[in-house]
Amino acid sequence: AQRVTQPEKLLSVFKGAPVELKCNYSYSGSPELFWYVQYSRQRLQLLLRHISRESIKGFTADLNKGETSFHLKKPFAQEEDSAMYYCALSVGSGGSNYKLTFGKGTLLTVNP
Amino acid sequence: GAVVSQHPSWVICKSGTSVKIECRSLDFQATTMFWYRQFPKQSLMLMATSNEGSKATYEQGVEKDKFLINHASLTLSTLTVTSAHPEDSSFYICSAQQARNIQYFGAGTRLSVL
């Protein structure tokens, strides 16, 4: 079975500092990895997905199959980045259905 | 972007009653919707996959008779918690699959069973 591990429950950085949220996964096939973000009192929303290879709000994430990791990085954190971040892995479950398995999340706090 | 509406946002009910939660995709059709449960300070746990016009697929350990799912149209899925008990109190979240592998989430429903 697939598993997503986010080793840090809490991460606190100062504004302007680099930030890296760690995500490791276990899955025997070819996974698709996502980062979702939940700002305070808001719904979960997609931040980025590995196949897009894009930067959203200054965040990037590279899939490293050798290390089975998909760490989320931003060179200069902003206060508005404070949120809960979830790493998720998608597995096809038949037909066009794709189930998401979520990590436990990392609460990022960016201090002024 | 795609919008998913979930209603109600908060419901309080007496033990033994049933509660229905609606999940609607407002500006797109979703043949597949998902229902999650989230305990305080924990991650989302997938409960079931809801497919329009067919029976839902439940995850291991989820009682299908307890959590009834109906996906009667391409924009609406409902989750009914039958004979609710205090241990069913939780945050329930739905999502709708738009394009391949993109899920958009509702704002969630907080269920409190007294």
Side-chain angles (χ1 to χ4, degrees):
Chain A
Q2 60 274 13
R3 189 170 67 242
V4 177
T5 303
Q6 292 180 250
E8 303 139 327
K9 268 190 173 180
L10 305 170
L11 184 62
S12 183
V13 300
F14 286 103
K15 177 182 172 181
V19 63
E20 180 180 53
L21 291 86
K22 291 185 168 49
C23 172
N24 288 89
Y25 66 91
S26 63
Y27 178 57
S28 57
S30 293
E32 186 164 358
L33 275 296
F34 300 81
W35 277 99
Y36 280 86
V37 60
Q38 189 169 28
Y39 300 102
S40 179
R41 301 183 188 282
Q42 294 188 31
R43 68 188 64 198
L44 203 62
Q45 55 185 282
L46 177 65
L47 181 62
L48 52 80
R49 53 196 299 206
H50 91 268
I51 63 170
S52 299
R53 301 183 67 81
E54 57 192 346
S55 173
I56 303 293
K57 299 184 179 183
F59 285 97
T60 59
D62 291 315
L63 180 62
N64 186 323
K65 291 187 178 180
E67 296 182 359
T68 59
S69 68
F70 188 56
H71 303 326
L72 183 68
K73 301 177 184 179
K74 185 169 183 175
F76 308 103
Q78 303 299 314
E79 290 180 68
E80 55 265 30
D81 296 327
S82 297
M84 179 68 90
Y85 291 81
Y86 292 97
C87 182
L89 180 152
S90 174
V91 174
S93 58
S96 58
N97 292 346
Y98 294 87
K99 302 196 297 185
L100 286 174
T101 299
F102 284 89
K104 294 193 173 187
T106 298
L107 181 62
L108 173 65
T109 302
V110 181
N111 300 297
Chain B
V3 179
V4 174
S5 171
Q6 192 171 337
H7 178 80
S9 57
W10 195 0
V11 57
I12 301 173
C13 69
K14 291 182 178 179
S15 186
T17 61
S18 294
V19 174
K20 180 186 281 189
I21 303 170
E22 291 187 350
C23 181
R24 293 180 185 273
S25 55
L26 296 187
D27 50 2
F28 66 100
Q29 294 182 329
T31 55
T32 304
M33 293 185 175
F34 300 89
W35 288 96
Y36 298 84
R37 185 172 179 175
Q38 186 176 32
F39 290 101
K41 299 184 189 262
Q42 294 191 32
S43 188
L44 286 78
M45 298 292 294
L46 179 65
M47 298 174 66
T49 303
S50 169
N51 290 297
E52 186 267 336
S54 64
K55 290 184 178 180
T57 303
Y58 290 81
E59 295 299 301
Q60 193 172 17
V62 178
E63 299 176 60
K64 59 180 70 175
D65 295 330
K66 174 74 168 175
F67 299 100
L68 298 179
I69 291 172
N70 184 277
H71 194 155
S73 78
L74 288 171
T75 59
L76 174 65
S77 175
T78 60
L79 169 69
T80 301
V81 183
T82 62
S83 186
H85 291 284
E87 58 265 29
D88 300 322
S89 297
S90 192
F91 196 59
Y92 294 88
I93 303 172
C94 74
S95 72
Q97 183 174 297
Q98 187 191 33
R100 177 189 176 275
N101 230 348
I102 300 291
Q103 290 186 32
Y104 293 92
F105 286 81
T109 297
R110 184 163 304 284
L111 171 62
S112 298
V113 184
L114 305 178

